[in-house]
Structure formats: C-alpha cells, structure tokens
Amino acid sequence: MENTSDQIAFDHQAEENIIVALLHDSQNVPRIIPALKPEDFHNEVYGIIYGAIVALCGDGSKATSAALTHYLREKGDRLAPLIIDMRNGGSGVENFLFMYSRNAADTYNIDYYLKKIKLCALKRALLFEAQRLEMVCRNIKSTKPDISSLIAGMTLLAAESEKVEMLDLKHSIKSVVADPANEGTLRAKPGISCGVPEWEELTGGLRNSSVNVIAARPSVGKSTLAPIFAEGIVDETGLPVIFFSLEMAVDNWSWREFARRSGITEKQLRLRSNNGLSDFDKAVIADAVDSVPENKYLIVDNPNLTMDHISGISKAQKVEGGLGGIMIDYLQLIKSEEKSRSRHEEVGDISGQMKKLAKELDIPIIALGQLNRSGDAWAPKSSQMSQSDKICHDADTVTLIHRKEDEPVKIITGMSKTELQEARDAAEQHNRVLDADNSEELVLTIDKARDGQRGVVTVEHKKGLFRITSARSKTEVVTEKKNTNQEDAPQYNESENTHE
C-alpha cells in the first residue's frame, strides 16, 4: 500500500515485489532497465539489490541468490552486510526467493509494480522541487526567472515520466518484412491454423496479439467451433491453451471433447457401458483419451472471473509453462470490478482490457459472444452483440454463426411446376441425410477481418459429436491419410460396433 506519511510517497510493497519478480525471471530485466533506476526506490536496500541485478544481467550473468551475494561482497557497499546476512535483521537476498515461493501470484504484475514505483518517485521529486519553489517564493530577493526556472524543471520532470520507447518504422519494416523475405523464412500464412481452411484463407489465420470473437445466438455452435480453433493453436505451437469457462462446467467440456475425438456420442457411450463395453469400444475410448496431449488444454471452471483474474492466471502460465492462446466462454459473463456504471460500459471496458492482454502476451484470444434476438429472425449482425458494441470495435476478427436452415427460402420466378417440385424434393432429401447423421449446415459470416477480408464459409455441424468440418478440411484430412503409412494402425468404424 502506498504510504504518504510525513508528506513523502513510497510503496515498499511494490518495490519488494518487483525485486522478487526480477529474481524469478531475469528475462524481464532488459525491458525494465530503461524505465526504472535504482534511485527510483525509496527503500535504499531495495535500490541496491535492483542495481546489482541490473549489473549482473548487463554482464550476461544470471541474477541468482549466490551471484547477488558474491557481487555485493565484491562491491563492498556499506549496506552489503545488512542485505546479505538475514540473521542481522536485513531483508536478505535469500528471503526474497523465499517470499516468491510463498506468494508467487505477485510476480506476474511487474508492469503494475513498475508504474507504482515510478509514480511515487515522481511525487517525491516534485515534492522536493515544490519545497524549493516555496523557499524561492518566500525569499524577497528572488526574481521571476528564478521562479520560472523551477517551474520549468517541475514540468520537465512530469514530462519525462510520460516518455515511451518509440520505434523506427524503417527498421521495423526491415526486420519484420524485408529480412525474413530475403532469407526465405517468411511463413506462408501470417496466423496459426484453426481447422477451417476457408476461414484461414479469408482472415490469415489466428494471429498473435489478436482478439477473435465468435458470436451467435444460444445453441448455434460457437462452443463447438472455438475448441477446434484452440486445437489448431496447440498443434501448431506446441503450447497450452487456457479455457476460461464461465458458462459450461468442466464435465460438459470433457464429454464434448471425448465425443469429438472418439466419434461416440454421450448417449451412445452410456448405453454401451450399461450393456458392457466390447474390446473395440475400449480401444476407441483409449485412443480418444490418448489423443489429448498432457497439460495442453487447461480449464479454469469459474463463473465469477474478472479480467484481473484472467490476466493474472494467463501471465502466470506464460511465465511458468508457456502459453499459446486463450479461449473465453463467454465474454459477456466476465465480472466487472466497478459496479457503479452501466453493464454496457463495463463490458466495453472488459473488451478493451482483453485486447490489451492479447497484445501484452502476444497470443491470440478466442472470445465467444452472445447475440441478441432483436432484428431479423435469422440473419445475425455485429450490431446485435449483447451489452456492448465496443466488442466488435476492439476485435480483430468477428465471426457470426447462423443455421443455413434458418435462412428464408427464395422462390425463383420462371420455374416450372416440375422444376419447383424437383427442387423441393432435393431439399427434403438433403435435410433427411443431415438429420440421419444428426447434422446441420452452419454459415460462418466473417463480418470483420482487420488484416484480411470479409466473407462467408459454409460448414457441416455434427451436433452430437461436436464436430465442424468444411469442404476443404475434409479434403485435407483425406489427403493427409493417403500420405501417411497407416497399414498397421487400427481402423475404427462406428457402424461395425453400434449398440442400438
């Protein structure tokens, strides 16, 4: 907590926490050094330890407890014995490492601690200049230039606190575009594959630092599409994806993912289990479980999450085990820390924080959204986004889903009675085929693609199996199987072993 006793601002807790964070993850040091100086610390001990961390990392060494102790002894600082020897009541380098293990969550808000320390340092500097200004103003012999000089100094102090790193666009174009192109290392696609090739072609895939909104009315398929996108992230990056589930329980996700991977619905498995599983069934079940990689799909099952929770958990995972992406189901359920304003404004703030988190962690975020039932009976629009239109403004891609069968039938004039009847018969036959497989056609309308193009993709949705496939995804799967030697692999055919 910030202390302003005796008119001096400081936050020793923030100073302590940033030291702990840097000791835990020295990779943050190069990013923090330009913004934070040892003299910004109010606690002199913390300032000395921070200076030692900076010096060690500047020499290419790792700031471990042993390395810091050795450095401080060699430096011969007057406070070095107090810092090193915990028995004399000092803070102790080892004590910082112990505190990290006790309160690890504090280490992931390093930017927050940095801002607190810089603000307190600025307040102390301005207070010192204000006291000088008071003395000059009380002095009958002081002149206007004397006063103006002090005021200019205070203005400069405040301006320096707002300085940010500016990047040269020419150098950025060279490093991001020209050099990789000349070296032949440019990726064919800017983003990550998502399992729907037609969607990737239009949008460029799931790009890092992007927010990808999938919106629909209830029970239309958004919770089926999102895990397929998440699987693409895991497969391509090898990094975990966190599911922040504010609506569905983990049991629901488990049954859905099992059905998608095994080709057996929950109803079928319960019936077969009751009648006694065959060896074939057991093999299919084992294969489905084995197909899920360990510690890659991480679920946070909590209906009371705020963006602070989501941010802290995500940053912790990024540091500890890496992070490929985030999925949120669904964003209008995220709680707000501020209860005084309208829900429309709260959701707007949540959307902005989500975009900021995507940029900070440099990962794609998949956010499910709920659409209102207002307006047209079937055609979804971005304007129907529940509780805030700012969601679409902040998002990089917005995909709206509706059922093909919900579209109104267009009667084309000029058709003969025979042609009209044939068209109706074909439509009925098509619907019977889909119903027999418990399938439906979904239309994915890409309503916004910041770095791509808008368009429409039609996919098949197998409802009981929670599978979504497109024409090209089917073709690519078949091609992949033909190019893979699977002579010794067991071939599962559900129709050969159906307990109905």
Side-chain angles (χ1 to χ4, degrees):
M1 177 178 287
E2 184 177 327
N3 189 309
T4 56
S5 62
D6 298 327
Q7 297 182 324
I8 297 177
F10 61 86
D11 192 332
H12 287 173
Q13 188 63 57
E15 295 178 4
E16 187 175 271
N17 286 341
I18 204 167
I19 296 293
V20 172
L22 293 174
L23 285 172
H24 170 69
D25 184 12
S26 58
Q27 292 182 354
N28 279 309
V29 175
R31 184 170 64 85
I32 298 298
I33 286 176
L36 187 62
K37 300 179 178 62
E39 53 267 29
D40 290 332
F41 288 80
H42 179 263
N43 186 306
E44 192 175 4
V45 170
Y46 297 156
I48 291 171
I49 295 177
Y50 173 73
I53 292 173
V54 171
L56 284 171
C57 293
D59 293 337
S61 303
K62 189 172 181 180
T64 63
S65 174
L68 281 170
T69 301
H70 178 75
Y71 176 86
L72 291 169
R73 282 182 177 143
E74 290 292 316
K75 190 170 180 290
D77 191 281
R78 62 183 178 83
L79 291 179
L82 180 65
I83 298 171
I84 295 167
D85 190 358
M86 294 172 61
R87 293 170 298 180
N88 291 343
S91 296
V93 174
E94 292 86 352
N95 194 36
F96 281 115
L97 296 178
F98 169 74
M99 288 183 60
Y100 160 70
S101 64
R102 185 182 62 184
N103 197 11
D106 285 344
T107 66
Y108 308 118
N109 295 312
I110 192 167
D111 292 310
Y112 171 76
Y113 302 137
L114 174 63
K115 289 178 183 177
K116 293 280 285 184
I117 295 168
K118 292 295 293 183
L119 180 58
C120 288
L122 174 63
K123 288 179 179 178
R124 294 195 300 271
L126 289 174
L127 178 62
F128 177 75
E129 293 299 321
Q131 289 170 340
R132 289 183 59 198
L133 179 61
E134 181 185 13
M135 292 175 61
V136 169
C137 289
R138 288 178 181 277
N139 187 346
I140 192 68
K141 295 182 179 180
S142 61
T143 63
K144 184 177 179 180
D146 294 335
I147 297 172
S148 298
S149 176
L150 285 172
I151 293 174
M154 294 175 71
T155 304
L156 182 62
L157 274 174
E160 286 181 347
S161 70
E162 299 297 326
K163 277 187 177 179
V164 295
E165 181 184 8
M166 290 186 285
L167 305 175
D168 188 325
L169 179 59
K170 180 175 181 177
H171 292 164
S172 180
I173 293 173
K174 185 175 183 300
S175 61
V176 174
V177 182
D179 289 347
N182 291 329
E183 295 165 3
T185 57
L186 266 183
R187 289 166 49 95
K189 180 174 77 273
I192 299 167
S193 298
C194 68
V196 183
E198 294 90 338
W199 190 92
E200 297 169 22
E201 187 173 294
L202 289 168
T203 64
L206 297 167
R207 301 170 188 252
N208 286 337
S209 302
S210 68
V211 173
N212 305 274
V213 172
I214 302 173
R217 298 186 180 111
S219 303
V220 175
K222 58 183 179 292
S223 297
T224 300
L225 183 61
I228 296 172
F229 279 23
E231 185 178 25
I233 296 174
V234 172
D235 288 347
E236 193 158 319
T237 68
L239 295 170
V241 171
I242 302 178
F243 287 20
F244 291 99
S245 185
L246 293 95
E247 184 179 38
M248 285 197 295
V250 66
D251 289 0
N252 298 111
W253 286 114
S254 300
W255 276 108
R256 282 168 167 260
E257 196 62 15
F258 171 80
R260 186 172 74 86
R261 292 174 179 269
S262 68
I264 304 174
T265 67
E266 179 181 351
K267 180 180 177 181
Q268 289 172 335
L269 184 60
R270 289 185 184 279
L271 182 61
R272 295 182 190 186
S273 178
N274 189 57
N275 294 334
L277 293 176
S278 66
D279 291 340
F280 178 83
D281 290 328
K282 293 176 181 178
V284 173
I285 292 170
D287 190 58
V289 174
D290 291 343
S291 71
V292 183
E294 195 84 25
N295 294 322
K296 297 300 182 184
Y297 298 94
L298 309 174
I299 300 177
V300 178
D301 181 4
N302 186 342
N304 298 310
L305 291 170
T306 66
M307 274 308 300
D308 283 345
H309 292 140
I310 292 172
S311 179
I313 293 168
S314 301
K315 290 176 182 178
Q317 177 60 36
K318 178 86 170 180
V319 172
E320 292 181 340
L323 185 62
I326 293 170
M327 191 190 87
I328 299 173
D329 180 27
Y330 57 91
L331 67 88
Q332 287 105 326
L333 291 179
I334 297 173
K335 306 296 182 185
S336 174
E337 298 287 352
E338 300 181 24
K339 301 297 183 183
S340 59
R341 298 185 299 167
S342 70
R343 184 57 183 165
H344 184 277
E345 292 177 311
E346 290 175 357
V347 173
D349 283 348
I350 288 168
S351 174
Q353 292 174 53
M354 191 166 56
K355 178 59 181 175
K356 179 182 177 183
L357 181 63
K359 291 187 67 176
E360 186 176 347
L361 297 182
D362 193 30
I363 58 170
I365 292 180
I366 304 162
L368 306 189
Q370 198 82 281
L371 292 180
N372 294 321
R373 292 186 178 276
S374 60
D376 196 304
W378 66 271
K381 299 179 178 65
S382 294
S383 59
Q384 296 171 356
M385 194 71 69
S386 177
Q387 296 177 328
S388 182
D389 51 4
K390 193 172 182 294
I391 296 171
C392 296
H393 178 270
D394 293 329
D396 294 272
T397 69
V398 177
T399 303
L400 308 175
I401 308 177
H402 72 271
R403 296 185 181 91
K404 182 76 172 176
E405 65 184 30
D406 292 338
E407 297 181 2
V409 177
K410 296 181 180 179
I411 304 297
I412 303 175
T413 58
M415 293 178 68
S416 67
K417 290 183 178 180
T418 303
E419 290 173 332
L420 184 57
Q421 187 60 46
E422 288 176 353
R424 286 172 175 167
D425 291 343
E428 289 177 5
Q429 178 61 27
H430 178 66
N431 288 335
R432 281 196 295 272
V433 171
L434 289 179
D435 289 341
D437 200 25
N438 197 24
S439 298
E440 62 182 357
E441 282 187 310
L442 297 180
V443 178
L444 312 183
T445 301
I446 301 166
D447 199 50
K448 179 181 180 181
R450 194 185 302 276
D451 297 305
Q453 63 187 83
R454 300 166 66 187
V456 174
V457 178
T458 301
V459 297
E460 181 184 351
H461 177 209
K462 292 190 175 182
K463 293 181 282 187
L465 298 178
F466 304 99
R467 290 177 174 175
I468 286 180
T469 53
S470 66
R472 280 182 53 190
S473 65
K474 289 179 182 177
T475 304
E476 291 181 9
V477 168
V478 171
T479 304
E480 183 181 342
K481 287 182 177 179
K482 286 182 179 179
N483 294 335
T484 305
N485 185 3
Q486 296 182 331
E487 293 180 1
D488 298 327
Q491 301 298 312
Y492 301 137
N493 185 344
E494 186 184 338
S495 62
E496 295 177 359
N497 191 50
T498 303
H499 298 251
E500 293 291 356

